Structure formats: C-alpha cells, structure tokens
C-alpha cells in the first residue's frame, strides 16, 4: 500500500494510491490518520542518522561507529516531492544525500524486538540536503542540516508489506543531478537497520505517529568527490528508491536576510 499527503485548495488530504487513482482517507494528513506535500507535514520529530553506510563512512575518512550518529531536522526543513529546494545564499557547499526514511505509526518508548518492528508504519524517500560548510563549522551537525525548505520527502509512505525484507527492507537507492547518476547503492550496506534505529532512538525519546527517522545516505556525496561538486541554482535533483518512490526537485536560490 502507498500513502501520501496531497495539497488541495489550500489544505491537505491523506490519500491512498489505488492503481492510478488517489483515494481520500478521510484525514487531513498521514500524521493525523501522511502538487505532493511532505508525507507528514508536521512531524513532532525528524531524527536523522549520519554515518550509517560503510562506504560513505569510509569516503568521509571516519571509523565505523559503535552507536548510531544522530542529529535532527525540524518540520520547517521539509518540502514536498516536487517542491523547489531553497538554496541559502549563505552556503557555497550545498550537497545531496538520498535516504530511505522510516515513518512511525504507533507511539513507542524503549521499544525492543517486535514492538520496534510494529512501530514502523512504512518507508518513504528523503533527500538530506546539507550545507557542508556550515556542517563543518563545528563538531555538531545541526547547523548544516536544518535549513528552511531544504529537505524533500515523499511522495508516498510504502507499508512494510511491499518491499522485500519488510521492516528491514532491501532497497535500491539512487540519486541523479541534471541526469547524471551521483549515488547508487542498496541498504545491504547499512550498519544499523530501521528496527535497530527505532530501538535506539526510542530509548532516548518517545516516538510518536508521524515521526520520521532518516536512515542515512550511501557514498558518493558531492563533498567526497574529487573534485568536490555541489548543487547550484536550477540544478534538477532526483532521489529515487525502487519500489518506494522518487522526489524530483529543482534548486532555487534564497536571499539572505
């Protein structure tokens, strides 16, 4: 089953894809009941995982972590599957990161095993756009990751029954810029799978329906290339996960305050 949130006449509606038809589910969005709005427009938490693919860890010159590396985004960072990505005037190093994201469907705290599995409502596509120059200003990641209107997510939430592997899905992920493939990998390279992440994150904080856990990106980000490569104005960025969906966005400039 594929679920989405549509913008309709200034509001939003939760819908289900049935063939080529979108069926209204009787709720305003998937967080209540999930052109496309972010699948969950106002999640209480967007928890992201850095350094979760072995090849990406190695290309960034890091050791394999013992625990998940967590940071956060805010609801204002999220945009829909076809919205423009706002490139801040303050950055010169605007980078891409395709990621599978788990959407939480039930409140959990300190979940283990089956409880953590049942908490996963499904999966969606997220492009964790990053201002690398701001990211590396300090050892903390937040200021490079939380920029307004920078993070496409959607267009659907695909329930765990669809992808092979269920709540530990085996997914092919890819990202292209202006028609050129930049990233291509599969979730077999993950250190911490979605169930392990629900267990870990819910130990720290209660996870609520509609919360999002972005599971990390594979290698070949722009910052790790030689020469380095970043997103500029009018670039067309397509992040795709086979069997889940794709977000396709144009980078647009944003004026400094």
């Amino acid at each position: 089953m594929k679920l989405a949130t549509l913008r309709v006449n200034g509001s939003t509606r939760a819908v289900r894809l049935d063939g080529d038809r979108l069926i209204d589910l009787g709720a305003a969005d998937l967080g209540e009941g999930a052109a496309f709005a972010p699948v969950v427009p106002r999640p209480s938490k967007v928890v992201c995982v850095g350094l979760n693919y072995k090849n990406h860890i190695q290309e960034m010159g890091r050791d394999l972590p013992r625990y998940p590396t967590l940071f956060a985004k805010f609801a204002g960072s999220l945009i829909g599957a076809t919205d423009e990505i706002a490139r801040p005037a303050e950055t010169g190093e605007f980078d891409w990161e395709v990621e599978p994201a788990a959407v939480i469907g039930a409140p959990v705290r300190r979940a283990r095993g089956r409880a953590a599995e049942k908490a996963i409502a499904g999966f969606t596509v997220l492009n964790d756009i990053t201002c690398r120059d701001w990211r590396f200003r300090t050892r903390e990641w937040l200021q490079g990751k939380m920029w307004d209107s920078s993070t496409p997510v959607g267009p659907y939430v695909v329930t765990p029954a669809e992808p092979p592997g269920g709540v530990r899905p085996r997914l092919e992920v890819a990202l292209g810029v202006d028609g050129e493939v930049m990233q291509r990998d599969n979730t077999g390279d993950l250190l911490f799978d979605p169930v392990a992440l629900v267990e870990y994150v819910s130990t720290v904080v209660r996870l609520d329906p509609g919360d999002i856990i972005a599971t990390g990106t594979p290698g070949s980000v722009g910052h790790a290339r030689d020469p380095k490569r970043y997103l500029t104005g009018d670039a067309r960025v397509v992040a795709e996960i086979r069997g889940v969906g794709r977000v396709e966005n144009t980078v647009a400039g944003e004026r400094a305050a």
Side-chain angles (χ1 to χ4, degrees):
M1 182 185 301
K2 291 184 177 181
L3 309 171
T5 299
L6 282 186
R7 295 189 182 104
V8 181
N9 298 326
S11 62
T12 59
R13 301 300 299 169
V15 298
R16 170 174 56 86
L17 183 66
D18 185 1
D20 59 356
R21 299 174 61 237
L22 294 170
I23 308 301
D24 194 298
L25 297 177
D29 60 66
L30 293 187
E32 178 183 335
F36 287 101
V39 286
V40 183
R42 294 170 299 279
S44 68
K45 289 172 284 295
V46 182
V47 181
C48 303
V49 182
L51 304 177
N52 201 20
Y53 283 77
K54 301 180 187 72
N55 61 10
H56 180 49
I57 296 167
Q58 292 162 351
E59 75 176 0
M60 300 301 279
R62 305 293 188 92
D63 295 327
L64 297 183
R66 182 178 177 186
Y67 304 107
T69 301
L70 303 181
F71 59 92
K73 286 180 180 279
F74 304 114
S77 300
L78 304 182
I79 60 174
T82 58
D83 292 340
E84 288 187 337
I85 299 170
R87 182 183 185 276
E90 295 86 353
T91 186
E93 299 181 358
F94 206 46
D95 205 352
W96 57 79
E97 294 190 6
V98 59
E99 307 194 10
V103 179
I104 301 301
V108 287
R109 182 77 200 279
R110 297 188 175 94
R112 293 293 180 270
R114 181 62 177 155
E117 294 177 358
K118 291 175 66 176
I120 299 174
F123 299 94
T124 191
V125 183
L126 184 143
N127 190 350
D128 178 21
I129 299 290
T130 304
C131 297
R132 295 288 179 197
D133 39 6
W134 284 73
R135 152 73 179 86
F136 288 108
R137 285 187 171 193
T138 71
R139 289 185 293 179
E140 300 297 331
W141 293 23
L142 183 63
Q143 63 194 0
K145 298 283 192 174
M146 64 179 186
W147 292 77
D148 279 354
S149 303
S150 64
T151 305
V153 60
Y156 302 107
V157 174
V158 175
T159 58
E162 290 212 8
V167 290
R168 296 177 176 86
R170 298 186 295 276
L171 300 171
E172 301 292 326
V173 303
L175 182 138
V177 178
D178 293 331
E180 181 181 353
V181 175
M182 298 296 179
Q183 292 181 283
R184 189 181 298 279
D185 207 335
N186 64 75
T187 53
D189 199 40
L190 281 175
L191 281 178
F192 307 102
D193 67 36
V195 177
L197 293 174
V198 170
E199 291 179 339
Y200 190 80
V201 175
S202 72
T203 300
V204 180
V205 64
R206 184 186 69 250
L207 290 171
D208 295 311
D211 286 351
I212 295 171
I213 300 178
T215 61
T217 196
S220 297
V221 299
H223 188 78
R225 290 174 169 262
D226 185 14
K228 299 182 189 302
R229 180 166 174 178
Y230 301 109
L231 295 171
T232 58
D234 298 324
R236 192 70 174 167
V237 189
V238 178
E240 184 169 13
I241 300 176
R242 185 179 301 174
V244 176
R246 60 190 274 155
V247 296
E248 187 168 351
N249 311 87
T250 299
V251 177
E254 181 187 55
R255 292 182 180 179

